[in-house]
Every structure is written in C-alpha cells, then in structure tokens.
Amino acid sequence: MRLRNLIIVTVIVPLFVILVVFSLVAIKSMEDNVRSKLQNEVDMVTHALGTTLGYAVARENDTSLEEALEAAFSFHRIYGAYVFDPNGREIYGLGLGRELFSREEIQQVIEDDELYGNYRQFEGWTYYSALKPLRTPDGEVHGVLQVNRLNTGIENYTGFLSIVAVLVFVVGAAGIVLSIWWGFRHYIERPLNRLVTVMLRVEDGDRQQRASIEGPEEYRRLAAGLNGMLDAMAEKDHDIEDRQRREIELEKRLRKSKKLAELGVLAAGVAHEIGAPLTVINGQAQRLARRDVIGDNERARLSRIRGEVERIVEIVRQLMELGRQHNVEKDEQPLDELVYSACALVEEELEPRGVRLEITLPSPTPTLLANGQQIVQVLTNLLRNAAQANGVSRIRVCAEQQRQELHLWVEDDGPGIPTSQHQQVFDPFFTTKPVGQGSGLGLSMVHRIINDHGGTIGVFHSPLGGAGFEITLPLYDTRPT
C-alpha cells in the first residue's frame, strides 16, 4: 500500500469517524436540551395555572376561568389552553390544539392523577401538550387542564440544523482531505519521487545523477546525504579505475621487463658466440686495407665491411645493456640542467635541418631524484628521433609538476606515429626508419630507463600534428625502505 493511502486509512479516516460521531452526539444533545427546555416551560405554566383553575372550576365561576386561561397566553409561545370535565368534555378553552387528546386519554390522566406531557401532530403542526388534573382544596378532581405550546423557532429547525451541520462537516472534511492530499503530494510524494528517480537512474548506470536539494528540511538533508553517498561512490570508482589502470600498466611493464630480460640472456649468449669471429673479421679487414697491392675500390669495400662489423658489435652491446638488470644510482637533479644538457647534445643535428626547439619549464624548476646521465640519454634519444622524422620543423619540450610527480612532454610537428603502432614503438627492433638507419633499440632503451626510475612513458598524437611522448617520473624515491 502506498504511503498516501496508508496515512488516509490509518489516520484521516479514523479521525473523521471520531469527529462525525462527536458532532452527531453534540447535535443530538442540543436537540434534547431544546426539547427538555420546552417541556419544562410548559410543565411550569401548567402547574402555575392548575391551582387557580381548580378553584374556578370548583366554584363554577366562568369569569375566573376565562381570566385564568387568558393569563396563560402571557407566557412565551403558549398557543392553546383548555379545561375539560372528568368525562373529557370541554368546559372552556382558548387557542389552538383543542383536539390533540381523546376523551379516553383525558380520563386516563385523571385516573393516573399525575402530569402528562407528549408531542402531537395536528393539521401539519407539531405541539407539545401537558395535561394536569385540576383539584379543589379538599383534593377532589373536577377536571383536566390542557396547555399547548406550538413548536416554532429553533425547535422546528433542530432537524434542519442537524442536516446543515452534517453537510457543513462533510464539505469541511472534503476540504481538509483535499488539502492534506495536496500537501502530501507537493511536500512528500514529489520529493520522494525525485529521489527515487535519481536512484533508479543511478541503478541503470548513470553515476552522474544528483538529487536537487530543495523542499522541506528533512528532504534537503536526505538529498544531501544521497548526493554525498553518490560522490563517495564516484570517488571510490575513480580510485578503483585508477588502481586498475596502474595495475595494467604495472603488468605491461613487468611483461616488457621479462621480455627484455629474456632478450638480454639471449643477447649475452649471442655476443659470446659471435664476439670473437667479429673481432677476427674486423682485424683481417683492417690488415687487408693496409696492403698496397689492393686498389681504392677494394679498400672502400673493406672499410664498409669494418663499418658493418662495428654496427653489429654496437647492436650486440645495446642488446646486452637492454636485458641487463640495473641498479640505478640516483641523486637530486635540477630539471632545467637535464633538459638543457640534452638539447646541447642534439643541437648539431637540429641546426642543419632548420628545426626550432621550444622549451617550457615550470618556475621554480623542480628537482627530481634520478640518474642524471640516464635521463639525459632518454631526452637525447627522443629529441634525436623527432629531429630525424620527415618534415619536422618544430620540437616542443614542456614539463609540469603534479603533486609528487613530474610530467614531461616531447612533441613534434612531423607526420607522427600511426595509432596502430603505439603499442609497438617500445618493442625491441621495431623502427619506422628505413633499413640500415636504425636498430629499433633506442625507444626500448628509453622505456627501460624510465621503468628503472619507477616512472611511465607513453605515446600520443601531439596537438602540433606529429608524435608526442609523455614521461611521468616520481620526484622522490618511491622504492620501499
């Protein structure tokens, strides 16, 4: 059952029933009181006239009888007075209601020898009549006095007043019910429906819904409590999502670290097996190049052989470095010094290509706990890759401190990296450069260094139009002590 109907059934209806019963009892009591007053007045008039009329009837003095009956009409609303003999025949009378009682009823009053009163209907009028035996001073009954009072004024309207009172009560009750219904609907049901609507939408997945804080104080407090609960849930959801994201990133770093470690073991074996043959090849090529019997063409080919051998040796060294476990020695490093050191190392490559370098650093410059040489290596690698991309004329380096982390962005206006390759750019041997111009190990080395520092690195589409790399590094040592 709805709350509105429950209140009507358990509170309003019983209250109205009690009021109806009380009103009917009050009206009935008023009516009885009016009638009792009417009867008492008629009885008092009858008693007052009884003695005088008893003497007049005993002496058979018509003048005294007439004067006594006429005196009865001086009382309020007395409309008839009659004197009957013991046989019920009229001796003398004035006014209305002579035939209200039969002879037998009059004789019965003489036999009962007491005052008798009753309501009677005659010719469409309602009377209250009292019959009293008339006695002489010696106690002998000589007749009966009848005094009639017509029901006029409030006596005739008690029934009508009762009906009017009931109608007024019904109309008033209907107005009260309507007012209660409107108040319940406006101040209770509507605020509840708004809260229920918000909760249903939240249940359907719309976690941004909030209740409007309006209405009575209780509902404002309830809405504020609901909003607080939803805000707390949203904050918890955000924390859970952030934790899941960090766990996913950690899992990715662990997988990549495992892959690099396995690759390092493989590289160590490869380096051990091919290191000596490469040294022999390089030495023999160098000896052949010193002989005078060979021409310039053969000497150039030998020089190329030596160059490729050195390239192989460098790749093997990078592989061994990539897969090796590192203990990073950190100290406090000012960010601006690291950035400007890296820019100075690649300046010779930027100027010939006409690349403009933009640097935006926070002030004051933050200090981070890191291995300065390795961070410079990371920045140098990213700047060099950007400068070597086709069509690059602008490189931007900017940083921002957020709580206990440093966010560093390196962006360019080149062709960028396709979205489909964002997950592969840090894999070993993956490169977008032509064959022979890159080993594909530079970004893998960058990833390993950032990972060793407890940070993260990701690739995105830069607003400049090209590729962008975002580095996140802790400003303080996050390793457990």
Side-chain angles (χ1 to χ4, degrees):
M1 181 179 293
R2 300 185 66 178
L3 180 60
R4 178 180 59 193
N5 299 335
L6 186 62
I7 293 177
I8 291 175
V9 171
T10 59
V11 178
I12 298 177
V13 171
L15 178 61
F16 284 164
V17 170
I18 293 173
L19 291 177
V20 168
V21 172
F22 177 79
S23 300
L24 292 178
V25 171
I27 293 172
K28 179 64 177 174
S29 176
M30 181 188 70
E31 184 177 356
D32 292 342
N33 185 48
V34 171
R35 291 196 175 194
S36 176
K37 183 178 180 182
L38 172 63
Q39 295 171 12
N40 290 336
E41 290 179 355
V42 174
D43 292 345
M44 290 175 60
V45 172
T46 304
H47 279 294
L49 296 175
T51 303
T52 303
L53 289 174
Y55 284 108
V57 171
R59 292 195 302 268
E60 296 181 355
N61 187 338
D62 293 339
T63 302
S64 299
L65 183 63
E66 182 179 354
E67 290 176 355
L69 289 179
E70 289 179 352
F73 288 90
S74 64
F75 295 95
H76 185 56
R77 287 200 296 271
I78 298 299
Y79 286 86
Y82 296 89
V83 177
F84 299 92
D85 62 14
N87 294 322
R89 292 188 299 270
E90 180 182 346
I91 298 175
Y92 187 80
L94 296 172
L96 303 176
R98 181 178 61 83
E99 300 178 356
L100 293 178
F101 294 94
S102 64
R103 290 185 178 184
E104 289 76 11
E105 290 175 321
I106 295 173
Q107 292 173 354
Q108 184 65 41
V109 170
I110 294 174
E111 292 178 3
D112 294 339
D113 192 19
E114 61 181 12
L115 180 67
Y116 173 76
N118 199 357
Y119 286 90
R120 292 299 172 94
Q121 294 284 338
F122 183 72
E123 294 182 353
W125 297 92
T126 300
Y127 297 86
Y128 178 75
S129 295
L131 298 176
K132 178 177 175 57
L134 297 175
R135 292 181 177 275
T136 59
D138 57 3
E140 184 179 354
V141 177
H142 286 275
V144 175
L145 171 64
Q146 176 183 340
V147 178
N148 301 330
R149 183 175 180 180
L150 185 64
N151 273 359
T152 58
I154 192 171
E155 296 94 343
N156 286 333
Y157 291 100
T158 51
F160 174 73
L161 291 176
S162 300
I163 296 175
V164 171
V166 171
L167 290 178
V168 170
F169 179 81
V170 170
V171 173
I176 293 173
V177 171
L178 182 62
S179 299
I180 293 175
W181 176 84
W182 182 87
F184 182 90
R185 181 174 178 82
H186 185 76
Y187 294 107
I188 297 179
E189 190 172 21
R190 286 185 178 178
L192 280 178
N193 287 338
R194 288 196 295 266
L195 293 178
V196 170
T197 300
V198 171
M199 289 187 286
L200 290 176
R201 290 178 178 176
V202 172
E203 182 182 2
D204 291 338
D206 187 2
R207 297 297 182 88
Q208 302 301 319
Q209 282 292 323
R210 294 296 182 270
S212 58
I213 302 179
E214 58 184 13
E217 177 65 22
E218 291 77 5
Y219 287 99
R220 291 200 299 268
R221 292 172 60 186
L222 184 60
L226 176 62
N227 291 342
M229 181 184 68
L230 293 176
D231 291 339
M233 292 174 57
E235 185 176 356
K236 292 295 183 183
D237 291 342
H238 178 73
D239 292 342
I240 292 174
E241 291 176 358
D242 186 63
R243 189 180 300 111
Q244 290 177 344
R245 179 179 61 81
R246 291 180 179 274
E247 289 177 353
I248 292 173
E249 291 177 355
L250 178 60
E251 185 179 357
K252 290 180 179 179
R253 289 200 301 267
L254 290 176
R255 285 201 302 265
K256 188 170 291 293
S257 298
K258 183 179 179 181
K259 181 190 297 184
L260 295 178
E262 294 174 350
L263 183 60
V265 174
L266 176 63
V270 171
H272 178 74
E273 294 297 329
I274 68 175
L278 289 176
T279 302
V280 173
I281 294 174
N282 188 32
Q284 294 298 323
Q286 184 177 7
R287 289 182 182 181
L288 289 175
R290 292 174 181 174
R291 292 185 179 183
D292 297 333
V293 295
I294 63 174
D296 293 337
N297 187 25
E298 288 79 5
R299 188 173 287 105
R301 292 180 180 180
L302 290 173
S303 178
R304 182 178 178 184
I305 291 173
R306 292 187 61 199
E308 293 300 323
V309 169
E310 291 177 357
R311 180 169 175 268
I312 294 173
V313 171
E314 179 63 21
I315 291 175
V316 172
R317 185 192 64 78
Q318 291 180 1
L319 283 173
M320 295 180 66
E321 184 71 18
L322 187 64
R324 185 179 301 149
Q325 296 292 333
H326 294 82
N327 293 322
V328 182
E329 296 182 359
K330 303 178 182 179
D331 54 7
E332 293 185 354
Q333 299 286 340
L335 176 64
D336 55 350
E337 293 184 6
L338 299 177
V339 173
Y340 288 118
S341 296
C343 294
L345 293 175
V346 298
E347 186 178 359
E348 295 181 357
E349 296 187 30
L350 300 181
E351 290 182 357
R353 293 182 171 88
V355 178
R356 185 174 75 256
L357 183 61
E358 300 175 1
I359 302 175
T360 304
L361 300 178
S363 181
T365 302
T367 299
L368 66 156
L369 192 64
N371 185 299
Q373 181 180 358
Q374 293 185 1
I375 297 302
V376 170
Q377 182 181 354
V378 167
L379 295 174
T380 302
N381 200 312
L382 294 177
L383 292 172
R384 185 173 287 113
N385 285 349
Q388 292 176 356
N390 294 328
V392 173
S393 61
R394 178 185 176 193
I395 299 177
R396 181 170 64 190
V397 179
C398 54
E400 179 181 339
Q401 181 177 346
Q402 298 180 6
R403 296 181 181 179
Q404 297 183 353
E405 291 182 337
L406 175 69
H407 291 258
L408 186 65
W409 295 273
V410 179
E411 308 169 68
D412 63 64
D413 61 350
I417 300 174
T419 304
S420 59
Q421 298 179 357
H422 283 185
Q423 299 296 327
Q424 302 174 270
V425 292
F426 299 109
D427 291 341
F429 302 112
F430 178 83
T431 180
T432 58
K433 298 178 181 179
V435 177
Q437 296 186 13
S439 63
L441 295 175
L443 290 179
S444 297
M445 186 69 66
V446 167
H447 183 277
R448 193 267 303 167
I449 293 174
I450 297 301
N451 185 67
D452 289 343
H453 280 74
T456 60
I457 183 171
V459 62
F460 63 95
H461 292 291
S462 171
L464 299 180
F469 290 86
E470 180 181 7
I471 299 173
T472 302
L473 289 171
L475 292 174
Y476 311 101
D477 194 355
T478 59
R479 294 175 300 177
T481 57

